[in-house]
Amino acid sequence: MDSTKSVTLITGDKVQVSPAGSGRSNVRFFPANAADSGYETRTVGKDLYVVPDSAARLVNSGKVDQALFNVSGLIRQGYDDASTDQIPVIATYKPTARAAQQAVPAGSTRTRALPSVSAAAYKTDKTRAHDTWQALSTGRDVQKLWLDLKVHKTLDQSVPYVGAPQAWAAGYDGTGTTVAVLDSGVDAEHPDLVGAVKEQKNFTDSPDVADHDGHGTHTSSTVAGRGVASNGRNKGVAPGAQLLSGKVLNDYGSGDLSWIIAGMEWAVAEGADVISMSIGTSEPVDCTDPMAAAVDRISAESGVLFVIAAGNLGGPAEAITSPGCAASAMTVAATDLTQTTADFSSRGPVLANHAVKPDIAAPGVDITAARAGGRGDSAYVDMSGTSMATPHVAGAAAILKQEHPTWTGQQLKAVLQNSVRAESKVGIYEQGAGELNVAQAVTQQVTGPATTDLGTFAWPHTSGQKLTRQLTYHNDGTEPVTLTVTADARGNNGKPLPSALITFGKSLTIPAGGTADLPVTVDPSKAIDYGLYGAISTRVVAKSNSGQTVVTPLGFYLEPQYVDVTFKLIDRDGKPATSISSLDVFDLDSIAAQRVGFDGTDQTLHLRAGTYSLAATIAHDGADGLVDSYAFLGDPELTLTKNTTITYDARTAAEATVTTDRPTQRKAGSLTYGRVIDNWILSSSRSYGTTVEVYLGTTSKARRGTFEVVEGWQYGSPAGAKSPYLYSLAFTHEQQVKGKPTHRVRDRDLATIDATYYTPGKDYTYSEYVDVWRPWSINLIPTGDRGSVAAPTRVQHLVTADKDTKVSQMVGHADAMAWPFATLMTSTATAYKPGSRHSESWYKAGLRPGLVTDQTTGAEVRSGGAGRQHGLEQLRQLGGHADRSLLVAGLPRPGRHRAVRERRVAGGVRVLRPGCLGRAGSGDRSRAEVRPDPLAARRLQVGVAVDG
């Protein structure tokens, strides 16, 4: 992230994230309700979650989608406040409730009912998000509240490669069939698509059905383009098919889940035989989302075949996106014309449930197809992606539907898989059955099963789990056919499975017009190397005496040793933990983490045997219902090889206390822990006010990676002190927590910063933060919550002095705006020496332009490129230290104020006269936008814009 972003959460609370250099971020939280000011910031890998205490119970219980609080994800999807003033959500309702009859929550509008998943989609005005949250989070009939995720496009010399011309020569080009393309719309006037599109509908927030992105036109012409603009050279796979164009991606190439589901329902109602969807989520999923559920339900009810992209997330595994993860879908991987899986093509199996995906592969690299708005020499464009592979398969399905009009979608799926190129050398989790071959599909005489998933074989593996499954083959011919069977069976690590674990019949004879079964036996009790356990890939190839092949991808999950671990969390009253208590379970072997909530009951987890980091935070509520204490207990490195019970009892933890040389009163505090393995970070930070008590339990010692617990404390001078001072302290427990956390603080062991706060012409109260950074942390670690400074004044800061702990200050000027501040000044994070003394000046004199500086190192950051903003985001202070930066945070909405009294000087710098406050503009040329500043004194502010 290279600029400051603000995000309004569904709870109405606001989060501001600003870059601090070196890939790190400052995170600020502003509660919608001052009484609900508690929150947690959590880093999982590279994603930042900010969960208010008011939502933590529902998130921990799984009743609210944690994606609603994934601030990194919300920014990536364009849900930050500068990009949109609404939050899209989907509420799924209990089976006994009727979603369409539910009252519209306060502060929102219903955008569409989604009966196929018993849900409704809503748009929530951010200014009333808190009202919507109250309505939906307390609704008796609401089963779960989801973020309406944006779904993106997942980007041809290839039609002959898949054998389409041979199918045309046999009389099959899709005539009489209908393919619905759910995408970004279509250029129906393109020469290749004139007369091909029989119906269009717009489900997005874009104003019309036209394709202003180009993706939908490309995929539509790959399905059924007539090739007119190329004299027939660039025909689609099924040039005789008719198209339905459902615009479910807007003009920027993204769409909401609710738009997609509505498009599916419309396509079926309009009589589609095949639905082509070159779309997918931006993250792998466990396939429990409403969109995937809709695919399976609609498939079962209508018999339509959904052909869906696998996704463009690459490998090595478990990268399939939704809705391609749906079991009934024909999920398509991408290859080049050398049978090599494209690097970008998502690999299977499906995350969490280990389902076998993808199902088939088709060309998806440098595919030539119609360009939206293109005519003449620019009629075509090349694109790459599983999006391009998908319409090849959809067109092939249309051809097969023409040949067999009574076949269901699942029958089409099976034959398209059976007839693939048989010579694939990769596992089924890369290419499914293999590469599409429609020429063989239309002549396929012997057919067999589609993707066959034998499920999960749970540990321990015994002879009682031995399973025999019959694979049924059908012969449509007039003569008996004998099949010879071979199987390529591989373990999770890609190495061959021993023949004792999986066995097949070697051959079978199928009578004319009849069927025959091939037995497949799996005996999971057979001893195998540990690395083979996991997702098992088997490609079964049955070859007839005439040379025709029948391919079936068969897979299963051979569970490694797992253990059942029961976790008991006990609060300080000796009762089972409730409130917002939680446990983080971090698998150090597979680098995967999960969060478990506690609400008065024990939790039993089924975990892969191995080494884990366990971190329990046990909250206790006071009489007012708010948290009055946190206890941290855990084991940063614990090997689990048998069923066991682990108890974390807050009564065994010791209270953290701080004593200072000077008289103080407590201001705020924080509790942070971090666990880092192989550069993958799991961390949590909770901030709180003056009354919350903190307890720490002794832990074992971490030997791999980094484990730290950091206590943050702020103690200030008594009220009315003539010479105010503030202790901002960080106590770090490295690799383990040991002994009582009793801290006797001596001033001589701290660093002293004499800070002077100036004002722009009159008295003013600033916002202030003091934070620390540890070598592993990518987000700041607060020593407390937001403080305030009544300026002009002087404050003596006494801060932690440690070679591995950097301290930074941030002071904010509210500028009469709704946010607590609009402009921020920050100091470079510095590791101070004990007993050292320093001085800082805030908002003194004027400002001069300077290059962006890295907050954590102080080094200049030289970024460039046409249209990049270099000023106003960070300017150095004139009269203070040279390493001071001024950050100008964006307004809630882009302004439209003219840059008055502007003068151009050398180097493309625009100088604004006194009386105007500059900020980064929203236009392409990065021009400064200004507004009257009632607090302005004699100051000069400069924005640097690079115009080319």
Side-chain angles (χ1 to χ4, degrees):
M1 185 181 65
D2 56 7
S3 63
T4 299
K5 302 285 187 182
S6 63
V7 177
T8 299
L9 303 175
I10 186 62
T11 54
D13 306 300
K14 291 180 181 289
V15 177
Q16 186 189 64
V17 185
S18 57
S22 302
R24 295 177 166 183
S25 299
N26 297 305
V27 183
R28 306 301 181 197
F29 177 82
F30 307 100
N33 181 355
D36 294 328
S37 59
Y39 69 100
E40 177 191 17
T41 60
R42 189 165 178 252
T43 302
V44 182
K46 293 183 179 180
D47 275 354
L48 168 68
Y49 293 80
V50 180
V51 182
D53 287 356
S54 60
R57 285 193 188 191
L58 294 173
V59 173
N60 289 346
S61 68
K63 293 180 180 179
V64 171
D65 186 2
Q66 66 175 354
L68 285 161
F69 302 96
N70 182 344
V71 173
S72 304
L74 293 170
I75 292 171
R76 282 196 301 267
Q77 295 186 67
Y79 289 147
D80 59 283
D81 294 347
S83 301
T84 180
D85 57 8
Q86 293 182 317
I87 305 171
V89 298
I90 294 177
T92 53
Y93 292 92
K94 297 176 181 177
T96 55
R98 293 186 177 181
Q101 296 179 0
Q102 297 295 316
V104 176
S108 66
T109 56
R110 181 187 286 124
T111 55
R112 112 177 346 107
L114 304 169
S116 63
V117 289
S118 188
Y122 302 99
K123 291 281 190 181
T124 298
D125 190 320
K126 287 185 175 180
T127 61
R128 297 196 62 194
H130 186 68
D131 297 333
T132 301
W133 169 253
Q134 291 296 320
L136 290 175
S137 64
T138 59
R140 292 181 303 172
D141 292 328
V142 177
Q143 194 170 50
K144 184 166 182 176
L145 186 63
W146 302 78
L147 173 66
D148 197 347
L149 284 168
K150 283 190 175 177
V151 178
H152 297 273
K153 55 189 179 185
T154 50
L155 289 170
D156 129 285
Q157 39 186 290
S158 53
V159 171
Y161 183 80
V162 301
Q166 293 96 312
W168 303 339
Y172 305 114
D173 65 356
T175 298
T177 66
T178 300
V179 178
V181 179
L182 304 183
D183 211 297
S184 61
V186 66
D187 176 6
E189 300 305 315
H190 190 285
D192 283 15
L193 294 169
V194 170
V197 182
K198 66 178 186 178
E199 190 67 44
Q200 301 180 69
K201 188 166 183 177
N202 180 19
F203 297 91
T204 74
D205 55 5
S206 296
D208 54 45
V209 298
D211 181 13
H212 300 286
D213 176 81
H215 191 259
T217 298
H218 195 281
T219 58
S220 295
S221 71
T222 303
V223 174
R226 281 29 176 175
V228 173
S230 60
N231 295 318
R233 188 177 66 255
N234 289 328
K235 284 184 180 180
V237 175
Q242 289 290 294
L243 297 175
L244 299 171
S245 175
K247 184 171 179 174
V248 297
L249 303 180
N250 62 20
D251 293 343
Y252 303 99
S254 64
D256 295 350
L257 265 66
S258 54
W259 302 348
I260 314 297
I261 296 171
M264 295 180 203
E265 295 168 345
W266 167 80
V268 171
E270 292 295 318
D273 299 303
V274 179
I275 299 176
S276 180
M277 301 173 64
S278 292
I279 58 179
T281 52
S282 57
E283 310 270 342
V285 296
D286 62 5
C287 221
T288 60
D289 61 280
M291 186 165 56
V295 169
D296 283 336
R297 181 178 297 184
I298 295 172
S299 293
E301 293 175 351
S302 68
V304 72
L305 177 63
F306 283 88
V307 182
I308 306 177
N312 291 340
L313 302 181
E318 297 189 338
I320 304 296
T321 62
S322 180
C325 62
S328 60
M330 173 72 96
T331 307
V332 186
T335 59
D336 59 20
L337 300 186
T338 66
Q339 302 182 352
T340 302
T341 310
D343 290 342
F344 54 75
S345 187
S346 288
R347 271 67 166 177
V350 175
L351 180 68
N353 69 12
H354 313 299
V356 178
K357 288 289 177 180
D359 297 299
I360 200 168
V365 178
D366 295 331
I367 304 303
T368 301
R371 181 201 299 267
R375 305 293 186 266
D377 291 341
S378 62
Y380 297 97
V381 64
D382 287 352
M383 294 186 184
S384 295
T386 54
S387 281
M388 282 56 258
T390 299
H392 286 82
V393 180
I399 285 175
L400 208 54
K401 183 69 173 179
Q402 177 191 0
E403 184 182 13
H404 302 282
T406 63
W407 279 10
T408 66
Q410 295 308 298
Q411 288 175 294
L412 298 174
K413 176 180 177 179
V415 174
L416 288 171
Q417 290 187 283
N418 296 161
S419 58
V420 297
R421 294 169 180 261
E423 61 269 23
S424 177
K425 301 300 181 184
V426 300
I428 65 173
Y429 298 110
E430 278 195 41
Q431 294 184 9
E435 287 187 296
L436 176 69
N437 185 354
V438 68
Q440 181 164 318
V442 296
T443 61
Q444 191 80 9
Q445 177 182 321
V446 179
T447 59
T451 296
T452 301
D453 192 334
L454 300 184
T456 295
F457 291 85
W459 181 280
H461 302 307
T462 66
S463 58
Q465 293 177 308
K466 188 174 181 179
L467 172 72
T468 297
R469 174 72 61 86
Q470 301 295 335
L471 302 183
T472 300
Y473 293 81
H474 182 79
N475 176 14
D476 285 335
T478 58
E479 297 291 334
V481 174
T482 297
L483 299 178
T484 302
V485 180
T486 59
D488 177 10
R490 309 180 186 189
N492 192 72
N493 58 8
K495 295 181 179 180
L497 283 179
S499 58
L501 189 139
I502 184 167
T503 58
F504 293 83
K506 298 299 182 183
S507 65
L508 76 162
T509 299
I510 314 171
T515 62
D517 292 335
L518 177 75
V520 179
T521 300
V522 176
D523 186 353
S525 66
K526 300 300 181 181
I528 61 174
D529 292 339
Y530 185 78
L532 296 171
Y533 287 100
I536 305 300
S537 163
T538 307
R539 196 163 180 268
V540 183
V541 179
K543 188 173 184 179
S544 72
N545 43 13
S546 66
Q548 192 174 67
T549 55
V550 184
V551 180
T552 295
L554 181 148
F556 54 94
Y557 188 72
L558 195 60
E559 187 178 43
Q561 180 189 358
Y562 273 71
V563 293
D564 290 325
V565 183
T566 299
F567 293 96
K568 296 177 177 287
L569 268 59
I570 309 298
D571 70 14
R572 293 201 58 76
D573 292 335
K575 298 178 181 179
T578 57
S579 184
I580 57 174
S581 301
S582 64
L583 174 72
D584 284 337
V585 181
F586 186 5
D587 183 340
L588 302 183
D589 298 323
S590 60
I591 314 298
Q594 59 177 307
R595 163 69 62 92
V596 183
F598 286 77
D599 197 11
T601 58
D602 301 338
Q603 297 282 1
T604 298
L605 301 182
H606 193 57
L607 302 174
R608 184 166 182 157
T611 305
Y612 286 82
S613 176
L614 305 173
T617 302
I618 303 175
H620 181 274
D621 288 348
D624 57 2
L626 301 177
V627 175
D628 64 8
S629 74
Y630 288 111
F632 178 88
L633 302 98
D635 289 284
E637 197 164 322
L638 181 66
T639 300
L640 300 172
T641 58
K642 62 182 180 179
N643 295 345
T644 188
T645 297
I646 296 175
T647 301
Y648 292 118
D649 190 336
R651 295 171 298 179
T652 66
E655 184 175 6
T657 60
V658 178
T659 306
T660 58
D661 280 351
R662 310 184 197 184
T664 57
Q665 58 184 11
R666 184 171 145 191
K667 296 289 188 181
S670 69
L671 180 62
T672 298
Y673 79 86
R675 189 69 173 101
V676 186
I677 292 287
D678 297 337
N679 295 318
W680 202 91
I681 300 173
L682 177 67
S683 70
S684 167
S685 184
R686 298 178 185 270
S687 298
Y688 36 80
T690 60
T691 60
V692 175
E693 297 173 343
V694 175
Y695 299 83
L696 299 181
T698 298
T699 72
S700 57
K701 187 173 183 178
R703 302 186 183 281
R704 292 172 55 195
T706 298
F707 168 69
E708 290 189 350
V709 175
V710 182
E711 303 171 52
W713 296 100
Q714 285 189 342
Y715 284 83
S717 51
K722 292 184 178 180
S723 300
Y725 48 87
L726 178 69
Y727 288 88
S728 296
L729 309 170
F731 303 105
T732 301
H733 306 265
E734 297 184 49
Q735 300 304 98
Q736 74 176 131
V737 179
K738 186 176 181 180
K740 293 185 177 180
T742 301
H743 309 290
R744 178 67 176 94
V745 180
R746 301 292 187 184
D747 288 1
R748 65 174 179 268
D749 297 325
L750 305 175
T752 301
I753 304 171
D754 297 307
T756 303
Y757 301 81
Y758 296 88
T759 60
K762 67 176 184 179
D763 294 355
Y764 198 81
T765 299
Y766 295 121
S767 299
E768 183 175 46
Y769 298 86
V770 182
D771 308 299
V772 300
W773 305 87
R774 295 290 297 169
W776 56 267
S777 60
I778 61 173
N779 295 309
L780 60 84
I781 299 174
T783 59
D785 207 348
R786 178 166 59 99
S788 60
V789 179
T793 191
R794 290 182 173 85
V795 177
Q796 189 174 80
H797 289 267
L798 296 103
V799 301
T800 294
D802 175 81
K803 64 182 178 62
D804 292 323
T805 302
K806 291 185 175 182
V807 180
S808 69
Q809 294 172 263
M810 180 178 284
V811 178
H813 186 305
D815 287 318
M817 293 174 57
W819 274 71
F821 48 72
T823 56
L824 290 173
M825 297 187 74
T826 68
S827 63
T828 298
T830 302
Y832 293 105
K833 293 182 179 180
S836 61
R837 192 154 194 144
H838 313 269
S839 62
E840 300 280 14
S841 296
W842 299 94
Y843 290 94
K844 181 181 180 182
L847 300 169
R848 64 182 176 83
L851 289 173
V852 173
T853 58
D854 185 314
Q855 184 184 337
T856 59
T857 65
E860 292 180 343
V861 177
R862 298 176 179 270
S863 58
R868 291 295 298 274
Q869 182 76 23
H870 288 270
L872 287 183
E873 271 295 321
Q874 294 179 326
L875 300 178
R876 294 178 181 165
Q877 184 187 26
L878 178 64
H881 288 295
D883 61 3
R884 182 81 65 251
S885 296
L886 172 70
L887 307 180
V888 182
L891 293 164
R893 294 182 182 84
R896 298 191 179 279
H897 314 285
R898 294 184 61 192
V900 297
R901 290 176 289 184
E902 175 185 283
R903 181 165 63 90
R904 175 80 79 168
V905 295
V909 177
R910 303 185 183 91
V911 181
L912 310 182
R913 295 282 302 280
C916 295
L917 173 65
R919 73 173 183 87
S922 60
D924 290 340
R925 306 303 289 174
S926 301
R927 293 178 64 84
E929 295 183 353
V930 300
R931 64 184 186 83
D933 180 5
L935 303 178
R938 294 294 297 176
R939 58 179 176 170
L940 180 68
Q941 298 197 2
V942 180
V944 181
V946 178
D947 285 338

